[in-house]
Amino acid sequence: MAISLAKGQTIDLTKNDTGSDLRTVRLGLGWDVKVVEKKTLFGGTKQVQRNIDLDASALLIGEGRVLDIVFFGQLRSKDGSVQHTGDNLTGAGDGDDESIVVNLSALAPSVEHVVFTVNSYSGDSFAEIDNAYVRAVNADAGDAELARFGLSESGPHTALVMARVSRSATGWKFTAIGTPGHAKTAHQLAPLALGAI
C-alpha cells in the first residue's frame, strides 16, 4: 500500500509488499497546467491552457559531489543503472508525464544518493502548475506504488528538488524534499541538490 508523504518524511524502500528485496524503483513525475480565462475580442471569455515543459532529472551523488546527471539530454547514467524514459514537452494526459528508472542493485558503490529534481526549461514558474507530484513505484512488481509526494507548493520558483533515494546500512530510503529553487537545467540545480543531502 502506497504512503502519502509530507515534506521531510522518509520511508524505507528495502522491502516491498512481497517481503523480497526491492531491486528497481521508478520515479514518476506528473503535472497539469492551470487553466486561465482570457477575454475575447468581443467581450466574452474563453479558457486557455498553455503547454509547460517540466523536466525531471536525477543527480547521482557520492563523496559530497555530483558524480553523474541523468536528464533529457543524457537519458542514461554512465554506468547504465539510471535511465530517463523520455521528455514530455507539455504535461498533457493522465498519469506520469516523465519517469526515471533506477536499478538499485546496479548503482555503483560510490553512489550514496540519487536526488530527483524538476525544472521548467522555458522558465515558467510553478505558479502556473497544478496537481504536480512525484511517486516511487516498484518497477519489478507491475509499478506498485510505494510512496507519493504532492508538489503543491505554488510560487515564483522555476525548479524543485523533489526527493531522494539514499543508501543506508539496511538498504534504501526515500525522502520527500520539496525545496524550491530557480534553474532552467539540472546542472544549475546541482548546488541545491547537494544542499538537500
Side-chain angles (χ1 to χ4, degrees):
M1 182 173 156
I3 298 171
S4 183
L5 298 177
K7 191 173 183 175
Q9 279 189 302
T10 298
I11 65 161
D12 190 347
L13 291 179
T14 304
K15 300 288 184 185
N16 62 32
D17 289 341
T18 64
S20 60
D21 288 336
L22 180 67
R23 293 185 321 261
T24 309
V25 66
R26 181 176 68 80
L27 270 287
L29 166 68
W31 74 92
D32 296 319
V33 179
K34 285 186 179 175
V35 176
V36 295
E37 289 201 354
K38 298 269 186 174
K39 293 192 181 215
T40 63
L41 184 62
F42 300 105
T45 61
K46 67 177 181 177
Q47 293 189 333
V48 177
Q49 188 174 26
R50 298 176 46 228
N51 292 334
I52 294 182
D53 179 14
L54 295 183
D55 294 318
S57 304
L59 290 81
L60 285 68
I61 296 175
E63 300 171 359
R65 62 188 179 93
V66 175
L67 305 172
D68 200 357
I69 300 178
V70 175
F71 64 110
F72 69 87
Q74 178 184 310
L75 295 177
R76 185 179 294 269
S77 61
K78 292 173 185 125
D79 67 3
S81 65
V82 180
Q83 181 174 349
H84 195 301
T85 61
D87 192 15
N88 179 318
L89 302 177
T90 66
D94 293 329
D96 300 337
D97 295 308
E98 292 196 11
S99 292
I100 297 174
V101 180
V102 181
N103 183 337
L104 298 171
S105 59
L107 277 170
S110 58
V111 177
E112 300 163 9
H113 309 276
V114 181
V115 177
F116 300 93
T117 64
V118 57
N119 58 273
S120 170
Y121 186 74
S122 57
D124 294 298
S125 80
F126 275 69
E128 300 179 64
I129 302 296
D130 261 342
N131 307 318
Y133 67 85
V134 61
R135 68 187 190 120
V137 302
N138 183 344
D140 296 321
D143 277 353
E145 188 171 292
L146 304 167
R148 178 179 288 256
F149 175 43
L151 306 172
S152 58
E153 190 170 330
S154 183
H157 53 280
T158 60
L160 276 171
V161 175
M162 297 185 290
R164 75 173 179 263
V165 172
S166 301
R167 194 184 299 268
S168 73
T170 59
W172 294 93
K173 298 191 181 306
F174 178 82
T175 303
I177 298 172
T179 302
H182 294 279
K184 294 174 77 173
T185 68
H187 293 82
Q188 293 171 349
L189 278 168
L192 196 61
L194 286 167
I197 301 303

